[in-house]
Amino acid sequence: MAYAQPALVPEQSALRQVARLGYAPQDVRHIVLTHLHRDHTGGLPDFPHARVHVHPDEYRAVTDPAAAHHRHSLDRFMPAHRAHNPLLAPAPVEKRTEWFGFPGVARPRGLACELLLVPLPGHSAGHAGVAVRDGAGRWLLHAGDAYMYHGELEHTPHLSHPVLEPVQRGAETDAAARVATRDRLRGLRRDRADEVTVFSAHDPWEFARLAALTG
Ligand SMILES: [Zn+2]
């Protein structure tokens, strides 16, 4: 299970990485998350003053008992990560805005940069990628857990990872939507690679490749 368990190394925590950049924890005023599963929320108590932006579908799933997948969502958002009452902020959806054909895009308020939450459904109830435009006009898309292994996007036919595939199936809310999302990301990577770099949350090989590129 090494690929599905976070390494508990304090130096890799967001808190320590922010400190190494010369900032104090209270300087972090905004956090943008793809979803609220426990392996994505562990650092929240370190930044209690930050606004935590999520897609409104994810916000609804954890806060509204009548919402679809409410129990699923709450079970995976650990009490220790939300005991401090994080400032969850549902980002407003821009009705007519699509991002490379992906509908339902939300734009967190109060950020200075061009940043969008792009629905990538199937995993958590309101799972969304985080798209950021860099200074050169290109986009980075953090696809969260929409896929977990680069072979799912890069190989034809798609190649699943034997350890990560059961993790994906165990956590999904909608299997058909997850597969459809994966296939849309395959198309994005194939057709728009010059404009968008896509990466995910659980793939150490993909991370190493991108880290080598950025130095
Ligand atoms: Zn997840």
Side-chain angles (χ1 to χ4, degrees), residues 6 11 17 53 57 75 80 85 89 91 119 129 134 167 173-174 193 196-197 209:
E11 284 309 309
Q17 295 195 47
H53 302 276
D57 292 344
D75 283 351
N85 285 322
D134 70 13
V167 175
T173 54
D174 184 330
V196 185
T197 299
R209 202 163 63 190

Side-chain angles (χ1 to χ4, degrees), residues 148-167:
M148 293 189 177
Y149 180 58
H150 57 280
E152 295 178 62
L153 298 202
E154 296 176 14
H155 289 262
T156 302
H158 83 272
L159 197 61
S160 298
H161 190 278
V163 174
L164 293 171
E165 175 73 5
V167 175

Side-chain angles (χ1 to χ4, degrees), residues 34-40 76 123-124 127 144-145 148 167 171 202:
T34 56
H35 63 305
L36 295 168
H37 285 174
R38 62 175 70 87
D39 53 330
H40 297 253
R76 287 165 175 76
H123 185 64
S124 69
H127 184 266
D145 292 358
M148 293 189 177
V167 175
H202 287 276

